[in-house]
Every structure is written in structure tokens, then in C-alpha cells.
Amino acid sequence: MDRNKERNAIVGVVASVLAFGALWIKKLKTRKEITSSPRVNRDNERENYINSILYSGDQHCIDVIRMRPITFFNLCDILSVNNLLQPSKAVNIREQVVIFLHIIGHNVRFRVIGSRYYRSTETVHRYFRVVLRAILKLYRLVIRLPDESTPSEIRNNPRFYPYFKDCIGALDGTYIRASVPLSMQGRFRSRKGGTTQNVLAAITFDLKFSYVLAGWEGSAHDSRILSDSLSRPGGLRIPEGKYYLVDLGYAIRNGCITPYRGVRYHLKEFGAEGPENAKELFNLRHSSLRITVERVFGILKKRFRALDAEPFWNFQTQVDILLACCIIHNHIMGVDPSNLLNQGLYEASESDLIIPTLTEREERQEAREWSAKRDEIAQTMWTDYMARNI
């Protein structure tokens, strides 16, 4: 009797196992097969993406890296021939420069760029630094003080010549957003609000930078920054008798001519009416020339979104990026690569001497002399203007 019970129990267990096994097998047969996605060939995907940027037309290339392909390849050639950039086993020069331009053109985070180019964040960060250092070494080649000749934009325009024949450019400051530690934010807060760095730039009339001084705190006055640029070794140099056009944020002084105060200045202030006296005519034409510097600042900030967005680098890197953007701007605006390749990269500055500061008496005398020069220009201009309109 016990043996029968034992045998029945075994048969029941076996039957249960077989039933469960049959059910499990049935489920396996009806279950949808899970397929794994094909493995991405990162090298091919990266190469295809870079080629799509450089070979899909000028406009697409400008949209992504802010310059046409021919300008990009010229820049790569300059950096390569002068041994400022070297290819590595993993990343060639073309990719290094594309990634750098993509970041500063759109203010893209390293991790986002890494995902798009199938690179690690560490790799993107490392080569960003490498390219930034290389670009900065082009400063003396690409950003140069103007010579003493009259700019063609003045020489070929009867509205400006011969009155502004000694003018070599326009000079002004602009605010660039800055991210600084909390303890420094008071000094970097500008009158327009927010923390900024105050950047001084001299611009030639062909829309290029001829001098840039970055890194001053946003609360610093324009005149103070100008004085610093004139006194530091390798700083701004103004040839004897030549001058820059500046706005009323500066004082009239040796090498800088301001418009007249309390007189209509901008074109929109004149409306349909023309200038009514010598001072208004001078201000109108002064404005027409000096607006060049505002145009360049506008172009720079639109081209490189890293300058017009919240920075995510330390402050020294923010200053370096601003200078790099100015260098690249000049390259885009017409620097001839063949000329660049034939010149030395490390030329000594024209003067390493510190220019002594003037006494208050000398500054007043200087202001009187340049005010008289401005009056002479304005009166000559007005005489000729009236003669043509009689």
C-alpha cells in the first residue's frame, strides 16, 4: 500500500514537471525574438559628420563652424605649417579645429560635443585647450597696429578726405559677459547690470581688430583702460600726429578725437534736416566713421555665441577665448594665408618701454591742442560743405 502511494507521488511530480516544461517551451516559442542593435562604427560616423560640415556647401559650414570651408582649411594650414598644432594618432588637426570652432561658435558644452563627435569629454576638453593655445600664438600675425598711411576708406571718400586724413581707426570698449567668483562680482558688475569684463579694442575701417585689451573688470572706466593700454609694454601705440575716433566716454587727448558735446551726433538725430553748423557736420561724419567699431563688436558677438552667453570656463580662459575670437574674426575678414605663412610668429614688440604718464598740466595743454585741431577740421569741412551747397 505504501509502495503504491510512493509510486503515485513520483508519477504526480514527474507529470507536473513535464507539464511545466511543456508550458515553458510553448512560451519560448511564442516570445518575440529580441534583436540587438548594430554596433556603431564611431570612426566612420565621426568622419561622415565632419565631412558633412565641410563639404555640404558654404552656408552649412558657416552655420556650424562660423566660416566657409576655404577659410577653415587656410586656418588649419597656418596652424600646421607653423607647428602650432600637430595631429595625434587619435585626432587629426582638422577635427581638433572643427571641434574648437563648434564650441565657441555655439557655446556648446564639452559633453554635448563629445556625444556628437563620438569623443570622451576629457578628449574634447584636452584638444580645446590645445587649439586655444595655438590660436592665441597667432595674435601678432593677425592683429596688427595700422601703419601711418591714410586708410583707403577715407582717402577714396570726399566726405572724409582730406579732413580725416590723419585718422587711422576707431577705438571703443564693449562689455562681454563674465563668470567670476562671488568675492569678485562687485568689481565686475557693470553699469548695465550683470558681471562683465570690459574690453578695449581699436578697429580699422576694413572691419578688423588692430588692438585688443581684454580682462578688465566691468566697473572700470573706459578712460582708465585706455591709459593702461598706452602705458603697458607692447600696448597700444599711436603714431605722432595720427589719431583714433572715440566717443564721449573718453576725453579728447593726444591721439584721440571725440565729437563735440551737446551737439547732434548720430544720423537718426538729424532726420531729414542736414547739419546746421560746423560742429554738427563734424559730429555727423565722425559718427559715420566711428560706427565701424560698433559694427565689428556686433559681428563678433553674433558669430561667436560663447561671447554672448553665460560662460562655463574660469575667468582667464574667458579672456583667452575673447582674444581667440578676435584673431579668428580677423582671419575670416580677409587675412591672406600665404602672407601669414611667410612671416615669423614670435616677432618682438616694437617697444618694450613704459610710456610715462602726463601731469595734469600737460594733459590740459594736450586737450587744448587737440581741441584746436578738431575745430580746424570742423571749420574746413563746413567751408567746403557750404561751398558745394550754394
Side-chain angles (χ1 to χ4, degrees):
M1 189 69 177
D2 292 336
R3 289 180 179 177
N4 290 335
K5 288 183 178 180
E6 185 177 344
R7 186 169 46 247
N8 291 336
I10 293 173
V11 172
V13 171
V14 173
S16 298
V17 171
L18 291 175
F20 178 79
L23 181 62
W24 184 70
I25 292 173
K26 184 178 180 181
K27 286 185 177 181
L28 283 179
K29 289 182 177 180
T30 57
R31 182 183 297 174
K32 292 182 179 179
E33 185 177 353
I34 300 175
T35 58
S36 59
S37 58
R39 187 174 180 179
V40 174
N41 187 323
R42 296 187 173 190
D43 291 340
N44 285 345
E45 290 295 322
R46 181 188 311 114
E47 189 68 16
N48 289 338
Y49 181 61
I50 293 175
N51 287 339
S52 74
I53 294 172
L54 300 176
Y55 301 108
S56 295
D58 288 355
Q59 188 57 54
H60 181 64
C61 191
I62 291 170
D63 290 342
V64 179
I65 61 172
R66 322 313 283 166
M67 62 179 68
R68 292 195 301 131
I70 188 172
T71 313
F72 169 80
F73 287 118
N74 284 337
L75 179 59
C76 290
D77 288 342
I78 294 168
L79 294 170
S80 174
V81 171
N82 289 286
N83 292 319
L84 296 176
L85 280 183
Q86 291 82 36
S88 67
K89 290 183 179 179
V91 186
N92 59 38
I93 290 177
R94 188 181 70 161
E95 183 186 344
Q96 294 175 35
V97 180
V98 163
I99 287 176
F100 179 83
L101 294 173
H102 198 155
I103 291 171
I104 65 171
H106 300 275
N107 199 47
V108 186
R109 301 276 177 168
F110 293 150
R111 63 178 179 273
V112 177
I113 286 291
S115 175
R116 190 65 192 85
Y117 288 85
Y118 296 94
R119 294 291 187 187
S120 69
T121 303
E122 188 277 333
T123 298
V124 173
H125 181 265
R126 174 160 27 103
Y127 284 102
F128 179 86
R129 295 284 181 179
V130 168
V131 177
L132 177 59
R133 288 194 298 268
I135 294 291
L136 291 176
K137 290 179 181 177
L138 292 177
Y139 183 96
R140 294 191 184 282
L141 284 175
V142 180
I143 299 182
R144 293 190 162 198
L145 293 172
D147 57 33
E148 299 186 26
S149 62
T150 302
S152 60
E153 293 80 8
I154 292 177
R155 187 177 61 251
N156 299 329
N157 193 325
R159 295 176 60 229
F160 305 130
Y161 188 84
Y163 321 110
F164 293 107
K165 60 183 175 60
D166 294 323
C167 178
I168 55 175
L171 190 148
D172 202 358
T174 189
Y175 294 110
I176 301 294
R177 292 181 68 175
S179 178
V180 295
L182 186 62
S183 60
M184 300 170 58
Q185 289 185 3
R187 293 189 291 115
F188 280 83
R189 198 169 298 282
S190 69
R191 65 178 184 273
K192 295 183 178 180
T195 52
T196 62
Q197 59 168 306
N198 197 343
V199 180
L200 174 73
I203 308 293
T204 52
F205 297 117
D206 56 355
L207 303 180
K208 296 176 186 173
F209 291 95
S210 59
Y211 178 80
V212 183
L213 177 59
W216 271 85
E217 56 267 28
S219 62
H221 194 277
D222 289 343
S223 293
R224 182 186 173 196
I225 302 174
L226 175 58
S227 296
D228 175 61
S229 69
L230 292 168
S231 64
R232 63 170 55 202
L236 181 63
R237 297 290 177 264
I238 306 176
E240 185 66 29
K242 300 296 181 177
Y243 59 87
Y244 286 96
L245 301 180
V246 298
D247 65 16
L248 290 172
Y250 302 88
I252 191 168
R253 57 181 295 172
N254 182 25
C256 297
I257 289 186
T258 64
Y260 288 98
R261 289 185 179 274
V263 179
R264 289 188 297 174
Y265 181 64
H266 294 290
L267 180 62
K268 62 183 179 182
E269 297 179 46
F270 288 87
E273 301 176 1
E276 297 179 353
N277 53 55
K279 291 183 177 181
E280 286 193 351
L281 180 62
F282 177 88
N283 275 14
L284 178 60
R285 294 185 178 175
H286 184 290
S287 172
S288 298
L289 277 174
R290 200 196 66 81
I291 199 172
T292 300
V293 70
E294 297 176 4
R295 289 178 59 197
V296 172
F297 285 147
I299 292 170
L300 189 75
K301 292 177 183 179
K302 287 182 179 179
R303 175 173 283 141
F304 303 110
R305 292 300 181 183
L307 302 181
D308 203 29
E310 186 67 29
F312 54 90
W313 302 280
N314 64 52
F315 183 68
Q316 184 54 54
T317 303
Q318 295 171 47
V319 174
D320 291 343
I321 288 172
L322 181 279
L323 294 174
C325 289
C326 295
I327 293 167
I328 295 170
H329 166 89
N330 272 21
H331 177 75
I332 294 172
M333 293 303 294
V335 174
D336 184 353
S338 61
N339 288 339
L340 289 175
L341 298 178
N342 293 329
Q343 300 180 34
L345 279 169
Y346 306 107
E347 297 177 359
S349 59
E350 294 180 2
S351 174
D352 289 329
L353 300 177
I354 296 178
I355 307 300
T357 57
L358 301 177
T359 65
E360 291 186 7
R361 180 178 179 181
E362 289 172 330
E363 286 181 349
R364 289 195 297 270
Q365 176 61 28
E366 187 180 85
R368 285 194 292 269
E369 291 175 356
W370 281 83
S371 292
K373 183 180 181 72
R374 179 178 62 183
D375 291 341
E376 180 183 352
I377 294 172
Q379 191 55 54
T380 303
M381 190 185 297
W382 179 251
T383 300
D384 292 347
Y385 176 80
M386 292 301 293
R388 286 195 298 270
N389 288 277
I390 291 176

